[in-house]
Amino acid sequence: MQFGIFSVGDVTPDPTTGRTPTERERIKAMVAIALKAEEVGLDVFATGEHHNPPFVPSSPTTMLGYIAAQTERLVLSTSTTLITTNDPVKIAEDFAMLQHLADGRVDLMMGRGNTGPVYPWFGQDIRQGINLAVENYALLRRLWREDVVDWEGKFRTPLQGFTSTPRPLDDVPPFVWHGSIRSPEIAEQAAFYGDGFFHNNIFWPADHTKRMVELYRTRYAHYGHGTPEQAIVGLGGQVFMRASSQDAVREFRPYFDNAPVYGHGPSLEDFTDQTPLTVGSPQEVIEKTLAFREYAGDYQRQLFLVDHAGLPLKTVLEQLDILGEEVVPVLREEFAKGRPDDVPEAPTHASLLAAAKAGAQDDAKKETVS
């Protein structure tokens, strides 16, 4: 099972000091956080994609390419790649290039985006969000899997005899997760292609997450990719930890109360009771995260949000130390207990390449027999 962190890249004032970091400081902080994630033994760093203030990660592949040059093991991903407002041709090119630079340590999460004004900035209509996601991703898959593509659709100009360059590393496209909070159509899309489904459940109660994951698992099996239990699932989470829960709550409360995403709404106590947010001791984080399996089943990727709401970089790096030293080693061990042998691990470039080679060998044997 993979463990990692994802960042939304918000530029938020620190409510305890009133200071707002510069965009440069926030970008550099995200890089430092990614490098720290590898240092403490995490598996994945994922960045969001935003094109509006107060966010900075408008060019995920630029950032991930920079991080790739300074890391050796970390899987570099996105917590949203906007399949609706990005051109599929540019996505195909950018992530294939990143694959080569990072020696295959790349996957990505497709998402529609939840900021309405962004759509017209890129010439699109948010009311077509689902249709854009479906059509653009169908084209992207072909661009990665076919050397020459002829294509015509509704939302972009036709392609005739087009070859996307560079080709995917080893002719193996990056693994794709489809991220959704509330859209069953996206869970259906992930199931149809046999891709991963990432439910970013950080704002939602367990019963909602259970319904979305069960829908994806059921449809994954319906399309013949395996049993429901073999479907590839990822979940989000939010944590803030100190040695004692009292210290954690006291320190995090001003950040929670003033956060752009949930400040001035439910109380911290209500939010931690009703969603995956855990503010407390490392043991409390372990116990609550392990409980995700009770309603999501055995899953493959767990990403935590730790660097939002104006938290200073020093504090975030301390959170990563706690994750790497006290939390994730226990989670790895506990999640492995009782995990069925036929439940796969999260796909990587190495595993996808091995599967492709095995498939090619099987095809060659069938041709020889026939």
Side-chain angles (χ1 to χ4, degrees):
M1 184 167 172
Q2 292 178 336
F3 294 91
I5 54 173
F6 72 98
S7 175
V8 296
D10 60 311
V11 181
T12 303
D14 184 332
T16 67
T17 65
R19 185 180 184 278
T20 302
T22 66
E23 290 180 324
R24 180 182 185 278
E25 287 172 334
R26 187 66 173 101
I27 291 167
K28 292 289 189 178
M30 291 175 68
V31 173
I33 290 164
L35 301 184
K36 184 70 170 181
E38 176 163 281
E39 177 189 321
V40 302
L42 301 185
D43 306 305
V44 182
F45 172 80
T47 175
E49 178 187 345
H50 297 277
H51 299 275
N52 56 294
F55 303 97
V56 293
S58 58
S59 182
T61 52
T62 302
M63 173 171 282
L64 295 177
Y66 184 78
I67 294 169
Q70 301 177 70
T71 55
E72 297 179 354
R73 186 185 52 79
L74 199 64
V75 174
L76 306 170
S77 188
T78 55
S79 49
T80 305
T81 293
L82 297 175
I83 188 63
T84 47
T85 52
N86 280 308
D87 185 347
V89 172
K90 197 67 171 74
I91 296 176
E93 294 173 340
D94 284 350
F95 281 89
M97 177 69 78
L98 182 59
Q99 261 195 319
H100 287 273
L101 291 172
D103 298 322
R105 295 182 288 124
V106 174
D107 58 36
L108 67 163
M109 186 193 305
M110 299 298 177
R112 289 187 295 136
N114 59 7
T115 307
V118 172
Y119 279 73
W121 296 343
F122 292 88
Q124 301 297 349
D125 184 341
I126 194 172
R127 293 171 295 184
Q128 295 292 334
I130 293 292
N131 294 330
L132 280 161
V134 171
E135 180 177 296
N136 284 352
Y137 183 61
L139 173 56
L140 176 62
R141 285 184 63 88
R142 289 189 60 190
L143 291 168
W144 274 337
R145 289 166 172 81
E146 300 175 26
D147 289 339
V148 180
V149 173
D150 295 315
W151 180 89
E152 185 172 350
K154 180 179 179 181
F155 297 108
R156 77 173 316 280
T157 54
L159 297 172
Q160 294 183 344
F162 180 78
T163 298
S164 176
T165 60
R167 304 303 299 147
L169 178 64
D170 301 318
D171 290 323
V172 175
F175 184 73
V176 169
W177 303 80
H178 297 261
S180 179
I181 297 173
R182 59 186 179 275
S183 300
E185 297 92 340
I186 301 303
E188 176 78 13
Q189 183 182 40
F192 177 79
Y193 290 111
D195 294 336
F197 178 63
F198 190 94
H199 189 260
N200 195 5
N201 52 323
I202 59 176
F203 299 123
W204 292 85
D207 59 344
H208 175 79
T209 301
K210 180 179 180 180
R211 287 195 300 271
M212 289 291 287
V213 172
E214 285 184 348
L215 169 63
Y216 161 67
R217 289 187 183 278
T218 300
R219 300 302 290 171
Y220 180 95
H222 168 80
Y223 288 116
H225 300 298
T227 66
E229 294 76 20
Q230 292 172 326
I232 309 299
V233 174
L235 296 178
Q238 299 177 80
V239 297
F240 187 85
M241 298 167 288
R242 289 304 183 202
S244 74
S245 58
Q246 293 85 355
D247 288 343
V249 169
R250 182 171 55 253
E251 184 175 347
F252 188 67
R253 188 180 297 279
Y255 295 95
F256 177 90
D257 288 346
N258 293 280
V261 291
Y262 43 46
H264 313 290
S267 69
L268 175 59
E269 287 73 18
D270 286 344
F271 206 85
T272 53
D273 181 59
Q274 298 170 17
T275 77
L277 174 64
T278 310
V279 181
S281 68
Q283 184 58 38
E284 288 174 304
V285 170
I286 291 168
E287 292 173 0
K288 190 162 185 176
T289 306
L290 288 174
F292 294 173
R293 184 165 57 178
E294 296 173 6
Y295 54 84
D298 286 290
Y299 61 108
Q300 283 76 15
R301 175 174 284 185
Q302 174 65 56
L303 300 184
F304 295 105
L305 177 63
V306 296
D307 73 326
H308 61 130
L311 287 165
L313 177 59
K314 177 178 180 294
T315 301
V316 175
L317 297 180
E318 291 168 352
Q319 295 296 301
L320 289 171
D321 277 327
I322 299 171
L323 274 177
E325 295 171 8
E326 302 182 49
V327 174
V328 167
V330 178
L331 290 177
R332 287 193 197 281
E333 181 178 349
E334 292 299 318
F335 272 117
K337 293 179 180 177
R339 187 182 182 94
D341 291 338
D342 62 344
V343 173
E345 294 294 328
T348 63
H349 183 76
S351 68
L352 294 172
L353 178 58
K357 289 181 177 179
Q361 291 174 351
D362 289 342
D363 290 342
K365 290 178 181 177
K366 291 177 182 177
E367 290 182 4
T368 301
V369 172
S370 62

